[in-house]
Amino acid sequence: MATQWLQLRAGKRAWLQIKEQGLSEADIKLLVGASGGPKWFVLQGLDRYLFGELFAQREQPLDLLGTSAGAWRFAALGQKDPVAASELFARLYSTQTYSAKPDVKEITDEARKLLAEYIPDNAVQEILSQERFRHHWIVVRCRGLTASEGKRQLVGLLASAAANSLKRRWLGKFYERVIFHHPASPATFAEHWNDLPTRFATLSQDNFKQALLATGSIPLVLEGVRDIPGAPAGIYRDGGVTDYHFDLDFSGVDGLVLYPHFHHEVIPGWFDKRLKSRRTSGSLWPNVILLTPTQEFIDSLPYQKIPDRKDFAELDASERIKYWQKAVDQGKWMADQLHDWIATDKIRDHVQLWQ
C-alpha cells in the first residue's frame, strides 16, 4: 500500500460535495494561507501545483486570504510567472543569513531586501492590473503600548496576551484588524467579521509593499510599519497576532474554501497557541477543505519536524539551508498525491469528515 503523505479533511458541506461530485478548481472560491514563518516550506510543492496547474487556466476570480507567510506566498499569484515567483520566494527566504546576534533593525533590513527582490515594482503593477487573483491580507493596527518598540512593546504584548486568555474579543482593546484587499475585490465575504474591530483598505501601487511587509512584521522581531498610505495613521504589525490560523466566519464565501496548512491543528490567534481549548474545527467551517501533511510525511523530514523559526538559532546556516531545501523538495510528494487524487477522482475516497 502506497504511503499517504497528505491528509484531506473537510467540513460537512464540503465533505458531502466532494463525496458526491469530486473536486474541480471551479468549486474553489477562496484560497487561505496562514502565518507560520518557515513552516510554509513543506507547502511550496502544493503551491507550485496550485499556481502552475490547478488554477493556471482559471477564468473566474479566486479570492486569496493570507496573513504573514501566507500573504507572502500568495503574492506570487497575479505575477507573470507565479511558479517562478514562488520558487524565488522560497530560495530567498531559505537562504537568509544573519549575524550571530541580529537585532530588530538587521532583521527588518533583510526583510526589506527580500521584498524588493521578490516583488519588484513591475510585479506590483502586474498583480494590481489583473483580476483573476484577488489578494486580501490581514494586518493589525496597534493600539496603546503595542504600538511602541522595545520594552514598552513587550509590556503591551503581555497585557494583550493576558486579556486574550480571558476573552478573545478583548484583543480589540489592543489591535485593530485591517484587511488590505485587491482593488477588484469588494471583499464581501469578510464584511461580517465583527469579532474584533475591523476595517478595510484598498491595495495600491503606493501601499502594496508596505502592507505586505507589515503583515509579516512579527512583534519584537521586526520593526512595525508606520503610516501605510490609504489606511489610518499608526503602527502596523503581523496579521497573525489576531488571525494566526484563522477562526473567521467563511459562510459568506459562495463556494468552497481551500486551505493548505502545515499543522493538523488550526489555532485562531497568535496568543492562543498554548490555549488548547481554542482550536478551529470543521463544524465551524462547513465549506472548508483542510490539506495537511500526515505524520508519516513529518517523520520522513530531517529532525522529524517541519521547519520553524527556532532553526535560525539552533542550526548553523549551511545545515539549516540544507534542511529547509529538503522540506521544500519533499513537499512535492504531497502535491503529486493531490494531483493524482483530483485527476483520478480518488479524492472522494480520501476526504475525511472534519469535526
Side-chain angles (χ1 to χ4, degrees), residues 51-83:
F51 300 177
E53 292 187 50
L54 190 65
F55 297 132
Q57 304 304 317
R58 189 179 178 94
E59 296 181 358
Q60 60 183 318
L62 177 67
D63 287 323
L64 316 168
L65 175 67
T67 57
S68 198
W72 282 67
R73 285 165 55 202
F74 292 167
L77 283 165
Q79 294 195 45
K80 185 176 181 180
D81 188 338
V83 171

Side-chain angles (χ1 to χ4, degrees), residues 121-165:
D121 290 343
N122 65 298
V124 176
Q125 183 59 39
E126 287 172 359
I127 293 167
L128 295 178
S129 61
Q130 58 82 47
E131 298 185 4
R132 284 196 304 151
F133 301 107
R134 307 192 302 194
H135 295 271
H136 303 80
W137 304 333
I138 295 177
V139 182
V140 297
R141 178 171 172 259
C142 297
R143 295 175 167 178
L145 291 178
T146 65
S148 305
E149 301 293 348
K151 293 182 179 179
R152 286 171 59 84
Q153 182 190 168
L154 177 59
V155 173
L157 285 171
L158 292 173
S160 57
N164 176 78
S165 68

Side-chain angles (χ1 to χ4, degrees), residues 140-143 147 210 224-228 231-237:
V140 297
R141 178 171 172 259
C142 297
R143 295 175 167 178
Q210 289 186 58
V225 178
R226 181 180 295 275
D227 298 342
I228 300 177
I235 296 294
Y236 291 81
R237 302 193 194 276

